[in-house]
Amino acid sequence: MTMRSSSIKKLSLAFASSAIALGGLTMNLHAEQQALGGVSLVMQEQCDKMAGSPYDRSRNQAYQPVSIEQIDTNAVNACSIAFKDTGNPRFAFQLGRALNRTEQADAAMAAYETAVKADYSAAKVNLGMLLGRIGDQASEFRMYSQAAEAGNVLAAYNLGVAYRDGLGTDPDAAKAIHWFEFAAANGDDIAAFNLGAIYDEGQMVPEDNQMAIAWYDLAAKRGNKDAMINLGIMFESGEGIAANAQKAAELYAQAASLGDKFGAQKLAEMQAAGVASQPSPEVASTGSGFDMLVLGPGDVTISSSLVDI
């Protein structure tokens, strides 16, 4: 009886020891899983912080977006882990950006394609750019079209360029203007400048200096150097608006302050001629999301003929 009792006790102790050992193993595995999960979260945050695009409406808004040039090369590792752990196409897209930053074009294209398969609009824009570089303009145009229809601003701008220049499609002035206007309405200064140039040049549509001035003015107010120069030339020469050397000098000065050499040269010439700059022209809201130049009586010398788009 004693021996049986002792044996039973020993068996019970053996089971108890196994339970303790298994419990310890479970706790260790749980702690390890927590640690791995913590690392994954850190990598996801780092990927969003180091490679989020200013043109991606689905980016993590907790972090400021960065341009391609600003992407930290460590983002490649962070975004690789983030995507592997989550399968989130945002991380695949941002991995593509990081790979593009490190000049790994083939790998970047593969990452973008992964995100595109998940219908990630921002990735379609970047994939389109790479496809265009290798000469596949038809696919480039298709990517821009899909992303623009989904509301991507950069895609809208690129689609405007495609319709203007006939890249992957036939040139179409009305569609070029439509997509440039969409991009400009969403803050793109280059789209606004291109609209000014279209109306200024008068090749795709009848020349319309008033429209050109309005779009150049909007782009200039957003910091576009080219628009400052073109608007300055129009003020200096009196093209479509009453000549005003002082306003021209101010615009040249603004462009020069942003590093534009031609603006600096023009400013020096006007200063040598005794022209000083003065405050910017008045602006007023049009109620359509744009701030346009207010044209006073007698300012416009060529009438406006609006284009039906």
Side-chain angles (χ1 to χ4, degrees):
M1 294 292 295
T2 302
M3 289 181 63
R4 182 174 293 177
S5 176
S6 177
S7 296
I8 292 172
K9 286 180 180 179
K10 286 181 179 179
L11 187 61
S12 297
L13 287 171
F15 279 137
S17 298
S18 298
I20 292 171
L22 288 171
L25 179 60
T26 301
M27 286 188 289
N28 287 338
L29 287 173
H30 183 63
E32 187 174 325
Q33 288 173 345
Q34 283 187 321
L36 290 173
V39 170
S40 180
L41 287 174
V42 169
M43 292 298 100
Q44 292 171 45
E45 291 176 355
Q46 288 299 305
C47 179
D48 283 335
K49 182 178 181 179
M50 293 189 289
S53 169
Y55 294 100
D56 183 9
R57 297 191 303 175
S58 299
R59 69 176 174 81
N60 187 340
Q61 300 294 323
Y63 302 102
Q64 291 295 317
V66 295
S67 66
I68 286 286
E69 296 77 15
Q70 295 173 319
I71 293 176
D72 190 319
T73 55
N74 291 320
V76 172
N77 182 58
C79 293
S80 294
I81 295 172
F83 177 68
K84 180 181 178 182
D85 290 348
T86 67
N88 189 325
R90 181 176 81 245
F91 297 129
F93 164 62
Q94 291 172 177
L95 173 59
R97 297 188 79 226
L99 289 165
N100 193 36
R101 170 70 175 85
T102 56
E103 298 183 356
Q104 301 179 62
D106 290 342
M109 183 173 288
Y112 290 145
E113 286 174 341
T114 298
V116 166
K117 288 177 181 177
D119 200 29
Y120 203 79
S121 294
K124 293 179 180 180
V125 185
N126 289 34
L127 178 59
M129 290 179 180
L130 291 181
L131 290 168
R133 289 177 188 173
I134 62 176
D136 189 353
Q137 292 185 346
S139 295
E140 178 184 16
F141 175 78
R142 185 176 69 255
M143 289 292 101
Y144 295 157
S145 297
Q146 292 176 9
E149 291 291 350
N152 186 279
V153 177
L154 181 56
Y157 169 78
N158 286 353
L159 191 56
V161 173
Y163 276 120
R164 183 194 65 191
D165 298 342
L167 302 176
T169 187
D170 294 329
D172 190 314
K175 290 180 179 178
I177 289 172
H178 168 77
W179 287 112
F180 281 144
E181 285 184 343
F182 178 90
N186 284 277
D188 194 296
D189 63 287
I190 304 177
F193 166 76
N194 282 346
L195 284 165
I198 286 174
Y199 287 110
D200 190 4
E201 293 169 357
Q203 296 179 2
M204 296 190 73
V205 299
E207 183 178 347
D208 188 335
N209 286 331
Q210 185 178 4
M211 290 288 283
I213 289 167
W215 285 114
Y216 283 152
D217 179 64
L218 176 64
K221 285 181 172 63
R222 290 176 175 172
N224 188 283
K225 295 185 293 183
D226 295 325
M228 294 172 190
I229 294 297
N230 284 10
L231 187 57
I233 290 172
M234 296 183 85
F235 271 118
E236 183 181 5
S237 64
E239 182 185 358
I241 193 169
N244 190 320
Q246 290 184 332
K247 290 181 179 179
E250 180 193 320
L251 287 160
Y252 294 145
Q254 290 174 358
S257 70
L258 295 173
D260 190 277
K261 294 181 179 179
F262 180 79
Q265 177 186 334
K266 292 293 295 182
L267 177 62
E269 291 174 359
M270 299 193 80
Q271 287 176 333
V275 178
S277 61
Q278 66 177 31
S280 301
E282 294 181 4
V283 296
S285 174
T286 63
S288 60
F290 297 117
D291 284 329
M292 298 294 199
L293 179 69
V294 175
L295 301 176
D299 279 348
V300 179
T301 60
I302 299 179
S303 61
S304 174
S305 54
L306 296 178
V307 179
D308 182 10
I309 60 170

